Amino acid sequence: MTHPAPLPAVQEFLARPSKMLIAGQWRDAADGDRLDAIDPATGKAIGSIPAGRAADADEAVAAARRAFPAWKKVAPYDRGRMLQRVASLIEKHGEELAQLITLENGKPLWEAKKEVGTAMSWTDYYAGWTTKLTGETIPASLPGQFLNYTTREPLGVVVGITPPNYPLTMPLYKAAPALATGNTIVLKPSEDASLVALRLGEIFLEAGLPEGVVNIVTGLGEATGAVLANHDDVDKITFTGSTEVGRALVRASAGNLKKVSLELGGKSPNIVFADADLEAALKGVFMGIFFCQGEICSAGSRLFVEEKIYDEFVAQLAAMARAVKLGHGLDAATKMGPLVSRAQQQRVLDYVRIGEEEKAKALAGGKAPDGELAAGFFVEPTIFAGANNTMRIAREEIFGPVVCAIPFRDLPDAIAKGNDSPYGLAAGVWTRDIRKAHQAAAALEAGTVWVNCYNAFDNASPWGGFKQSGWGREKGPHGLDLFTQIKSVVINYG
Ligand code: NAD
């Protein structure tokens, strides 16, 4: 497949053998092993990454531990300035980073540019917090003269384990608040998209972060992530990924009782009432499931439509899905890219087969395209009609461009079906009736409820899951709680 050539800076980066960042040094894996980095639109290698193992993970943790005491003492203003420099460098190299994201993850360039914008503003947001982390004075009722105050202290060495769907922002979702609050970090990006994280490592060094404050270990989940999760000298794991691996991390954390925060999977309901602005709802539902090829935790993958408009709404959605132009993300005409890996493509196609066996009907998509796209990991945007909430395609996270459309009778029916899921990450509601909007928002079991919008993210707005979608809230001031612990100081001055 032909596509526009990447920028010279991207070509130059890809031509260099990529290395891990440990203690301020660029290193190969201790045993020299490497993994291919694949362009998912072509299935061809564009580079390779070191396949780290236990020895590399150990060294990275040791480096982060050594760097912690001095980093903790850096004046908040100076920490903030360094993070601001990281944000400025992301902006400066934005075009290059966006192209790398597209080449490694597959998403179209226009989506990758949005990701770069988020990465920049997110880092800037937490840079601003360094000088605003205050404690409290406590009105304790102890007898005599006492002063009781609190301070917020960093946890120590943080490990950030991330998925491939946002290869630039995910490592920063972990690193920016961890560093702002005085922790050091070891990042373990997804083996399916590590090059962008390694380029980010160069930016951290260019911004002046001292050696060992940020370390990046690449490699497979079992070989590196699991070692970091079990490590007795790690104080905290911050994880974004599947619920299954989240469970494994909780078990792994038991040894030294390290703190754990988890951003996990979802099967989010997107509920359309007949009284909604249907044009806006169609666009919102479409983007809600097909943004980022459906590889987004918040994907509105269960679409609930009020019975009386179900057939018409779903037919229009299917027409929109059939019109999507798949292609290489660097091609300006591309509306949707490939899935991130062959394994993920196969997983999604397996679910399509399961849906057909369950007698749901694919009104659009339902297969991998042939012709020149066949070598890539594409799946056509797929709309399943005739689905119900007991089917596996409606209960299990697919993490791809597949939506199950399910009819509902009225508000109680929509809420009952929407909440009937082990997940509780997000939910969407489309209605012009303000009472219905508030009643649905109050009743839905989800960390975020969007009304007349979907995937409306803000750095200041808390993000995290109910039920099996996670522990803790990232973003905004809540995100600081994940990386700090409170010390209470009681002084008898009587
Ligand atoms: P995954 O859980 O397979 O992998 C995520 C990361 O964990 C990777 O870096 C992987 O190498 C590592 N890993 C795998 N096994 C491990 C182990 N045993 N110990 C330690 N680390 C291990 O997930 P994925 O397929 O890469 O990403 C998709 C998942 O991420 C979906 O479930 C999606 O919903 C979720 N996700 C959640 C959010 C959120 O904010 N809630 C955001 C994005 C993605």
Side-chain angles (χ1 to χ4, degrees):
M1 184 202 307
T2 55
H3 59 78
L7 290 168
V10 176
Q11 295 184 31
E12 188 263 330
F13 175 78
L14 292 175
R16 273 188 270 144
S18 67
K19 303 206 174 186
M20 295 185 282
L21 178 60
I22 298 176
Q25 306 295 315
W26 293 102
R27 300 199 197 171
D28 289 314
D31 62 10
D33 267 9
R34 299 188 73 80
L35 299 167
D36 278 342
I38 307 283
D39 175 349
T42 62
K44 294 199 180 113
I46 49 169
S48 65
I49 56 167
R53 296 232 160 73
D56 308 294
D58 281 346
E59 286 206 35
V61 172
R65 177 60 62 197
R66 284 195 303 276
F68 175 58
W71 179 246
K72 180 184 168 183
K73 288 200 196 108
V74 170
Y77 176 77
D78 295 336
R79 272 208 304 269
R81 288 288 293 157
M82 276 185 244
L83 286 174
Q84 277 168 0
R85 280 203 291 277
V86 172
S88 301
L89 287 166
I90 290 170
E91 191 172 30
K92 178 175 164 195
H93 297 291
E95 192 70 29
E96 173 199 341
L97 288 164
Q99 290 196 358
L100 259 183
I101 291 171
T102 291
L103 281 167
E104 204 178 21
N105 164 277
K107 68 177 72 173
L109 195 57
W110 64 270
E111 277 192 39
K113 286 182 181 171
K114 276 180 188 274
E115 180 175 349
V116 171
T118 304
M120 191 272 291
S121 68
W122 170 265
T123 308
D124 211 30
Y125 177 82
Y126 278 104
W129 269 110
T130 57
T131 49
K132 294 154 197 84
L133 283 172
T134 56
E136 300 163 299
T137 49
I138 309 294
S141 301
L142 296 162
Q145 288 182 293
F146 285 87
L147 171 64
N148 183 187
Y149 64 89
T150 64
T151 55
R152 295 183 81 149
E153 308 227 339
L155 299 171
V157 174
V158 171
V159 163
I161 302 178
T162 50
N165 60 341
Y166 283 82
L168 180 65
T169 45
M170 283 293 164
L172 283 164
Y173 278 168
K174 312 306 185 193
L179 298 175
T181 46
N183 301 277
T184 55
I185 194 162
V186 178
L187 292 168
K188 204 309 268 175
S190 166
E191 54 272 37
D192 291 326
S194 289
L195 290 173
V196 184
L198 294 173
R199 179 69 187 92
L200 178 63
E202 295 180 346
I203 286 176
F204 276 123
L205 292 188
E206 192 179 342
L209 270 94
E211 79 173 44
V213 170
V214 178
N215 306 273
I216 306 174
V217 179
T218 54
L220 297 173
E222 287 293 335
T224 47
V227 174
L228 291 166
N230 275 290
H231 208 293
D232 279 344
D233 204 23
V234 168
D235 299 296
K236 152 101 193 178
I237 308 173
T238 163
F239 174 70
T240 299
S242 62
T243 295
E244 188 193 343
V245 173
R247 275 194 201 96
L249 296 181
V250 170
R251 285 191 291 271
S253 66
N256 70 338
L257 287 175
K258 56 179 73 65
K259 317 258 182 303
V260 180
S261 50
L262 304 169
E263 295 292 344
L264 305 177
K267 195 75 189 176
S268 298
N270 207 351
I271 301 171
V272 182
F273 289 94
D275 64 21
D277 172 345
L278 294 180
E279 203 179 314
L282 262 176
K283 282 191 198 140
V285 165
F286 183 85
M287 286 309 284
I289 180 62
F290 296 128
F291 193 67
C292 202
Q293 298 83 240
E295 288 174 317
I296 184 164
C297 50
S298 56
S301 51
R302 287 184 302 147
L303 167 63
F304 294 99
V305 187
E306 197 168 339
E307 275 169 356
K308 54 186 163 195
I309 58 161
Y310 177 88
D311 288 339
E312 177 62 21
F313 190 90
V314 175
Q316 286 191 39
L317 192 67
M320 287 168 78
R322 283 192 291 269
V324 168
K325 165 107 175 62
L326 297 174
H328 196 289
L330 291 185
D331 185 340
T334 294
K335 289 286 176 289
M336 203 173 104
L339 294 169
V340 75
S341 65
R342 179 70 76 201
Q344 187 57 22
Q345 180 200 37
Q346 195 49 55
R347 183 184 145 90
V348 173
L349 291 173
D350 284 347
Y351 271 109
V352 170
R353 181 184 44 75
I354 290 166
E356 281 159 357
E357 285 166 9
E358 288 176 314
K359 304 278 182 262
K361 187 170 178 337
L363 295 187
K367 59 182 173 55
D370 40 29
E372 64 162 1
L373 298 184
F377 311 147
F378 294 89
V379 175
E380 292 177 355
T382 301
I383 316 274
F384 271 120
N388 67 58
N389 218 25
T390 64
M391 293 177 174
R392 279 185 66 193
I393 53 165
R395 301 204 73 76
E396 296 172 20
E397 187 184 42
I398 297 175
F399 212 57
V402 180
V403 63
C404 306
I406 301 170
F408 69 87
R409 254 186 337 278
D410 52 17
L411 177 76
D413 189 35
I415 298 299
K417 286 176 171 157
N419 284 345
D420 178 18
S421 167
Y423 295 108
L425 190 58
V429 180
W430 299 85
T431 178
R432 285 190 168 104
D433 180 338
I434 193 161
R435 291 177 65 243
K436 234 185 255 172
H438 281 293
Q439 285 169 8
L444 283 164
E445 294 163 356
T448 295
V449 179
W450 287 298
V451 178
N452 295 330
C453 57
Y454 204 87
N455 279 343
F457 298 108
D458 190 279
N459 293 333
S461 179
W463 177 252
F466 280 27
K467 300 195 269 189
Q468 293 182 34
S469 287
W471 286 356
R473 293 292 175 272
E474 287 188 343
K475 307 194 176 181
H478 295 276
L480 301 164
D481 297 339
L482 302 181
F483 297 99
T484 52
Q485 51 197 342
I486 290 176
K487 180 182 281 175
S488 176
V489 180
V490 182
I491 297 180
N492 177 353
Y493 62 95

